[in-house]
Amino acid sequence: LNARTCEADRPHLESACSVLASGASEDIALKLQMVSCNNSVIHADIFLAVMRDPEQQPTALIAELINRTTEVQAANEAEDQREQLTRVGRLGIMGEMATGIAHEINQPLTAVANYTQAARRLLDMEPLPKEKLLNILEKVRLQTERAGDVISRVRRFTRQEPVEATRFDPNELLNDVRM
C-alpha cells in the first residue's frame, strides 16, 4: 500500500505506537484516514500488535490494514440521500402549510372585503342606517382579529412555543365555517 497517514490522524498513530512500545498494551485498533499517492482518501481500520522477545523487548510490529473506503463512501452517500429526502419532505410539508395558512387567512380577508362593500352601499342610503353599519363594522373587526389570530398561531408554531390546548364550542366553529 503506497499511502501516508493524514495529518490529523498522525498523532493518534504515533501515540498508539508509543503505547505498544512501552508495553502498556499488546495490541491496538485504530480508525485512520490515509492519503494514497494519487491523493484519494482511504478509510482504514488498522490493527497493531507488538511481538516481544523472551526479555519482553519489542522485536516486531505487526500491522493489519483493512480498507473500509467503499463502506464509508456508501454510508456517506446513504446519509446524503436521507438528508435530501428529509429536505424534500420538509418542502412538501411547507407547501401544505402555506396552502392551509393562505386558506385560513383568505377566509376572513374575503369576509372583510364583502362587509366593506356592504358598508359602502349603506353609506349611500338615506337615511343612514347607523345600526346596520355598526353591525357590519363589528363583523369587520371580528374578521380582522380572526386573521390576526391565524398569524399569531403561525408565529407561535414557528417559535416552537408550547401549544396551548383550549376548549371550544363546536357551534362557534360551525358558525365560523359558515361566515
Side-chain angles (χ1 to χ4, degrees):
L1 177 70
N2 190 3
R4 66 185 185 284
T5 306
C6 287
E7 277 298 316
D9 285 344
R10 277 197 191 130
H12 302 297
L13 183 58
E14 290 169 2
S15 174
C17 289
S18 295
V19 167
L20 289 172
S22 73
S25 178
E26 291 300 312
D27 54 32
I28 292 181
L30 300 168
K31 291 188 181 297
L32 298 177
Q33 288 186 7
M34 304 179 84
V35 179
S36 70
C37 57
N38 66 0
N39 287 328
S40 63
V41 175
I42 299 169
H43 298 272
D45 289 347
I46 298 180
F47 301 95
L48 301 171
V50 67
M51 292 184 64
R52 300 186 181 280
D53 63 18
E55 287 83 38
Q56 295 303 309
Q57 294 301 312
T59 57
L61 180 66
I62 300 171
E64 177 183 9
L65 184 135
I66 300 173
N67 187 343
R68 300 279 188 212
T69 303
T70 304
E71 294 169 30
V72 170
Q73 287 172 340
N76 289 342
E77 288 173 15
E79 181 62 27
D80 289 345
Q81 288 176 351
R82 274 191 295 276
E83 287 175 11
Q84 188 175 3
L85 185 59
T86 300
R87 275 192 300 278
V88 168
R90 282 189 197 134
L91 285 175
I93 290 169
M94 286 174 57
E96 289 177 29
M97 283 179 59
T99 300
I101 292 167
H103 178 74
E104 287 293 318
I105 292 175
N106 195 40
Q107 283 183 327
L109 292 178
T110 301
V112 167
N114 291 334
Y115 289 138
T116 54
Q117 286 176 359
R120 287 191 77 186
R121 283 193 301 273
L122 289 176
L123 287 172
D124 291 337
M125 296 176 119
E126 287 295 330
L128 183 66
K130 286 185 179 179
E131 194 59 39
K132 285 184 178 181
L133 189 58
L134 288 173
N135 186 29
I136 286 176
L137 290 174
E138 178 61 16
K139 288 179 180 179
V140 167
R141 184 188 66 77
L142 291 172
Q143 292 301 316
T144 55
E145 284 180 3
R146 183 176 167 204
D149 288 344
V150 170
I151 292 169
S152 293
R153 286 194 309 267
V154 169
R155 283 186 178 153
R156 273 197 312 268
F157 179 76
T158 58
R159 284 190 218 127
Q160 296 182 344
E161 292 178 0
V163 177
E164 196 176 300
T166 58
R167 293 186 181 269
F168 66 92
D169 182 358
N171 293 320
E172 283 183 34
L173 179 64
L174 290 173
N175 287 335
D176 283 349
V177 171
R178 283 188 208 133
M179 285 188 186

